[in-house]
Structure formats: structure tokens, C-alpha cells
Amino acid sequence: MPVDAAFRPGQETAPLFVLGSYNWKRSATSGLKMQLSQTARYRSVMAGIESGTWLLAEASLLDDFSATVHWEDFDDFAAAHTQVKMVRDRFVIDGKRITAASSLPTVDLMLEIIRRRQGYSLALEVTRLFVYEQGGGRAEALAMPSTMPLKMNDPRVAHAVRLMEETVEQPLSLARLARRVGLSARHLQGLFQQGMGVAPHVHYLALRLNAARRKVIETPASFADIAAATGFNSASAFSRSYRAQFGESPSESRRRVRARVREHPRLVETRSAAGARLGLLATDHRSREDEIGRIPLEFLPRLCQLRHQPNRHN
């Protein structure tokens, strides 16, 4: 990853992500551990990615915190650092400490940070963008990329999500959706909550409103036409739901984004349409008082790039 500036342990308050891979012990010098301990006094968040977790633990910065590490290292880590509360998971967020087991779970971590900061709707849109990039050339994948989390593995929930994506214009009731999947409504609701982290109707509405917002931003279509295309009975009902979800009306979104494009035309010229849209919408963040709320949004794409970095684990 590119270096922007020298490390200043006593002056920076921004979240610090410590990355490590092969031969992390070579970096675990007394000088580095002292710097990490010093900077931890000022940082809002300290995170260990893959072997970076070892470096934080060596500096006693994970004492009494919950943490995770790659499954191959789990037992050795737990034996070496008994004061750390080990959890077998892809990533763990515990107050001012974050740990990710390897590079791929940083995608899940990024999505969770976005969900906590920005809400489920934007996290869903980012998920869509990543699956779009992994389409592998399949025409159907490029036409309608899935919005399932990258770790989704229940085929029944996956089927329900795909049905939602295919029926944005005419949404199905929960009962009809469950029948199509072959489950009771209650069983589907429980599986969906477990697999997606939200109730089916929350995902369905976010899916429709995200589709509507893309049309608001990227097309000149009337709001009545957009409402009809995304399953709303009227433009007024669409506008109410839109404002409740995004904190502004469709017309306000369109004016604001067009103003930003006029002001920064290269934002769209140099990036994919989906990436540009996320960049334009990223200013809509919700203020938060906890540590996650202090993670700069502009850092998240860099965090996600870790999944493409060579390392010892996948």
C-alpha cells in the first residue's frame, strides 16, 4: 500500500490499522511495541489485520479485549496471550479494538463499519458493487449483481434474496415469498435474520430504495416513473420512504449530486458508475459518538484493498 507520511505516534488521533503477514516477528521490535503503546493513548481505534493482531497483542494492547486471529494461529495465539478473550470469528469489534482474521474478512469488516456508520442501505449498495466486480463475465451477473453478503451460505435465504431482486417492481408479500422458497413465513424470517442480520422487509425495502436512488441519480426519469419501477403505489409514498431512508427528498438528492458532478467532473470520468455513485453518496453519513463513527469513510476503500494484497492466508 502507498505511504502518505511518516508515522507520528504522539500526534495522530485517527484510527490506526496495523497490518502484518509473513515474518511478523521481525517487526515486533521493542521500538515498534513502544510506539504502538504510545500512540494507543491518542487513537480512537486500534485495529489488527491478520498478523497485525499479534503485534497489538505483543504490545499488550489487546489485554482484556475480545479478539480473533487466523484459524491456523488460533490455539498458539490463545496460549501465548491468555489475557486476550479469543473469539473464533472472521472479525471482532470490541470498543476501541478491532481484529480481522485475514485479508478476506476485511471485506466483511468494512461492510459492518459502513452498516454501523451509514446504515444498512449503503452497506447493501457496497455489497452490490463488490459482487458486480466479481461477476466473472456472466451476462446475468453483470445485469443484476446479487446483494447477498459475501459470506452468505444458506441456499434458502439466497433464493429469497434473489426473488427480492427479481421483483423490485412488484414486491411479494412475506407469505408469498416464503411459499416460493418452500418455507413458512416465520421460518424464513428467522433464517433471514440469522443470515442477513436484518428482517426480510428491511432488506427488501433497502433493495427497492437503493434501486430507486440509482435511478434518481443516474437517469432523468420522473419520480412517478421511478416510484412505479420500484414498487411504490405513488410518488408521494415513494418520497416519504426515500426521505426516511436517506434523510433528503429525491429532488434534493438529484440537485446535490448534479452540483457535485459539475464541481468535480473527474469524479465520474475516472471511476466506474457504481464507484462514482458511492463516492457521491458518501457525504450522507450519519453522525455517531462511538469509535466506529470516527473511522474516516475515505479509509474504507483502502481497507478493502487488503483482500487483493499477497499474504500467507486467504
Side-chain angles (χ1 to χ4, degrees), residues 178-237:
R179 281 198 300 271
R180 295 274 294 272
V181 176
L183 299 172
S184 68
R186 185 172 182 178
H187 192 187
L188 176 61
Q189 188 154 2
L191 290 174
F192 206 97
Q193 183 75 46
Q194 181 180 3
M196 301 291 287
V198 295
H201 74 275
V202 173
H203 181 86
Y204 216 164
L205 181 60
L207 190 67
R208 293 162 54 208
L209 286 171
N210 281 352
R213 192 165 216 199
R214 289 192 292 273
K215 294 178 183 297
V216 167
I217 292 170
E218 298 173 1
T219 76
S222 70
F223 298 143
D225 288 343
I226 294 174
T230 51
F232 291 93
N233 293 328
S234 65
S236 59

Side-chain angles (χ1 to χ4, degrees), residues 89-155:
D89 210 340
R90 293 171 64 81
F91 67 86
V92 172
I93 300 175
D94 185 7
K96 294 185 176 183
R97 297 293 182 268
I98 298 174
T99 49
S102 63
S103 59
L104 287 177
T106 59
V107 178
D108 297 324
L109 173 60
M110 178 196 68
L111 293 172
E112 177 62 14
I113 291 172
I114 292 173
R115 186 190 67 80
R116 293 191 185 191
R117 277 206 53 158
Q118 304 279 109
Y120 184 77
S121 182
L122 186 60
L124 187 62
E125 188 71 354
V126 175
T127 304
R128 180 181 183 274
L129 173 60
F130 274 93
V131 178
Y132 185 95
E133 291 180 342
Q134 297 174 355
R138 291 171 53 232
E140 65 271 22
L142 295 175
M144 181 174 287
S146 176
T147 55
M148 289 178 288
L150 300 182
K151 60 182 179 181
M152 168 55 60
N153 56 14
D154 190 312

